[in-house]
Amino acid sequence: MSCNYAEGLSPYEHKGVLGVPEKFESIDKLNEKCIALAELIKESKHIVVHTGAGISTSAGIPDFRGPNGVWTLEKEGKKPSINISFADAKPTKTHMILKKLVESNKVQYIISQNIDGLHLKSGLPRKYLAELHGNMFIDECNLCKRQFVRSRPVETVGKKCSGIPCASGHDGGRPCRGRLYDGVLDWEHSLPENDLLMSEWHSSIADLSICLGTTLQIIPSGNLPLETLKYGGKLVLCNLQPTKHDNKADLIINYYVDDILDKVMEILGIEIPEYNESENLTKLAESAIVDWTISRKDILSMEKIFKAKCKGVKKKRILNKNKRNCLDMLINGLDKDDDKSKVIKLEIKEEDEKDCLVDSNNIQLNE
């Protein structure tokens, strides 16, 4: 359960802003914004989706910073009233929609902060998924770094050794003398290198990043969508609470992500698939060795694409959007280069970016 996972983490005081009230669009405004999002999806060639705890709440897994989140209630000495086990949780409508959008070549990559394993259960291939904070259904070898799917969630968090020998020799691979560890990060751990590299590269070449169910408070994962902006792409935020980067977004939708994506799929004319347990790799892991390691071939291929598009390209300084109506501009198709009310994104050399500070005009370069 989410509470058990949270309790298994090391003590940490700086959990971000908690319990901020949720906001809901009017139905008319929601419909307008969903049409705008659908148009952005149609126009974009490389879309990356960033997912947080908010996409799993409809599966019965509580979030962490919402009004009834695990850490919000923790301060009051309480626990969420709804808290399904990770073993019993099933993918939500959002998980199944994202899988379908990947299959339809509308979404090219998904970057998840979630450890609940619901993307894995949905049948989404590893090739299209980065799991930045780990996965309760994954073991990792401490030597060869291969990952294997579990049939049940791990009982520990924080990369603790299970004592089980690496499974690489059991599926025809090269035998390894390593031991398996849980793959769930604790506060002090670095993010998994290959997942982070793939996330950075995909975010950089994306012309659209869509953030679902996350306040983007945990870094570096929360800052990855900014890479899309720095290379000239657009940013859409779908969340009930304000996010860390609201002032940089091109479109913000405050509503349930299941309902947002349901409307978007209807506009796109794409049927939403039902959850199919036969595609759940945790079930297959009951009787077979299931490898969940990111393919070296996929890493090299993505690196080549990233270098071809981004190497030597000047990144843009990200300025706060002013109070113009970004939605109206998207709907009316205004040319942003001709719009005098917009804030111009100044260009700087990539190698100089780290030296820049926030100035008196709220030019945000580093978070």
Side-chain angles (χ1 to χ4, degrees):
M1 297 183 289
S2 291
C3 292
N4 293 344
Y5 157 67
E7 290 169 359
L9 295 172
S10 301
Y12 190 73
E13 293 297 322
H14 308 292
K15 293 187 174 76
V17 181
L18 308 175
V20 176
E22 297 175 337
K23 298 167 58 179
F24 292 87
E25 308 282 0
S26 67
I27 296 301
D28 288 343
K29 185 64 71 174
L30 173 64
N31 290 333
E32 286 183 356
K33 291 187 175 185
C34 287
I35 292 172
L37 176 54
E39 288 302 313
L40 284 174
I41 291 174
K42 290 178 184 178
E43 296 167 0
S44 302
K45 296 180 179 179
H46 195 100
I47 298 175
V48 173
V49 176
H50 306 256
T51 64
I55 75 164
S56 298
T57 52
S58 60
I61 299 175
D63 61 24
F64 295 96
R65 298 177 181 84
N68 295 303
V70 175
W71 289 330
T72 304
L73 295 178
E74 180 183 66
K75 284 199 166 187
E76 305 173 19
K78 301 178 181 178
K79 290 185 179 181
S81 56
I82 299 175
N83 192 28
I84 195 170
S85 70
F86 288 120
D88 295 334
K90 295 181 180 180
T92 66
K93 180 179 287 188
T94 292
H95 290 94
M96 300 313 301
I97 288 173
L98 291 178
K99 176 178 179 285
K100 183 64 176 181
L101 289 174
V102 168
E103 292 173 345
S104 304
N105 202 33
K106 298 292 186 183
V107 168
Q108 279 62 51
Y109 205 64
I110 294 172
I111 301 169
S112 180
Q113 302 173 50
N114 298 338
I115 52 86
D116 52 38
L118 293 183
H119 284 303
L120 165 68
K121 289 183 177 182
S122 76
L124 180 69
R126 182 64 157 127
K127 180 177 181 178
Y128 305 103
L129 176 65
E131 296 179 307
L132 295 180
H133 298 163
N135 186 330
M136 297 293 286
F137 289 88
I138 298 298
D139 282 327
E140 179 174 295
C141 176
N142 65 321
L143 292 184
C144 70
K145 302 303 180 183
R146 287 181 65 184
Q147 295 180 325
F148 302 94
V149 178
R150 298 172 53 92
S151 60
R152 302 286 297 177
V154 294
E155 297 179 357
T156 61
V157 300
K159 292 183 173 290
K160 295 181 176 64
C161 182
S162 66
I164 300 173
C166 177
S168 61
H170 296 280
D171 63 348
R174 185 175 179 179
C176 174
R177 295 182 179 181
R179 291 292 183 269
L180 297 181
Y181 285 66
D182 74 71
V184 184
L185 273 61
D186 206 339
W187 294 107
E188 74 274 10
H189 292 123
S190 299
L191 271 62
E193 181 180 3
N194 289 337
D195 292 81
L196 183 56
L197 279 175
M198 294 290 279
S199 299
E200 290 173 342
W201 292 337
H202 274 283
S203 297
S204 296
I205 70 172
D207 48 5
L208 176 63
S209 268
I210 304 173
C211 301
L212 303 175
T214 171
T215 54
L216 302 171
Q217 293 189 55
I218 298 296
I219 56 175
S221 54
N223 284 345
L224 285 169
L226 300 185
E227 294 301 305
T228 301
L229 293 178
K230 290 174 184 177
Y231 284 103
K234 294 184 175 68
L235 175 61
V236 175
L237 305 177
C238 303
N239 200 53
L240 288 175
Q241 294 176 294
T243 81
K244 181 180 176 182
H245 299 312
D246 277 12
N247 57 2
K248 306 176 187 72
D250 295 281
L251 177 64
I252 300 171
I253 309 179
N254 298 124
Y255 214 78
Y256 298 113
V257 289
D258 282 353
D259 294 338
I260 294 170
L261 293 187
D262 192 359
K263 289 179 179 291
V264 168
M265 292 292 275
E266 182 179 355
I267 297 166
L268 294 175
I270 302 175
E271 186 176 352
I272 302 171
E274 295 290 331
Y275 165 60
N276 184 350
E277 195 166 85
S278 67
E279 296 186 84
N280 180 350
L281 292 183
T282 68
K283 298 298 182 182
L284 178 60
E286 293 176 357
S287 58
I289 302 296
V290 182
D291 196 308
W292 191 242
T293 314
I294 296 179
S295 166
R296 182 64 179 164
K297 180 180 178 181
D298 291 338
I299 295 171
L300 294 175
S301 174
M302 192 62 220
E303 182 180 23
K304 184 177 180 180
I305 295 171
F306 167 76
K307 287 182 176 178
K309 180 173 181 179
C310 300
K311 189 174 182 180
V313 176
K314 293 179 180 179
K315 284 188 179 182
K316 296 181 177 181
R317 294 173 71 174
I318 302 175
L319 303 189
N320 291 344
K321 308 286 183 182
N322 64 4
K323 294 184 179 179
R324 63 190 171 88
N325 191 330
C326 298
L327 172 62
D328 288 343
M329 293 181 63
L330 288 170
I331 293 175
N332 297 327
L334 295 178
D335 184 349
K336 291 187 178 183
D337 289 330
D338 293 332
D339 177 35
K340 303 304 181 182
S341 67
K342 82 181 188 70
V343 177
I344 299 173
K345 296 178 181 178
L346 304 176
E347 292 187 349
I348 62 170
K349 293 181 180 179
E350 182 175 353
E351 58 268 25
D352 293 335
E353 186 175 1
K354 292 183 180 179
D355 297 327
C356 296
L357 300 174
V358 179
D359 70 10
S360 59
N361 293 319
N362 292 324
I363 300 176
Q364 308 244 345
L365 302 177
N366 295 301
E367 295 288 343

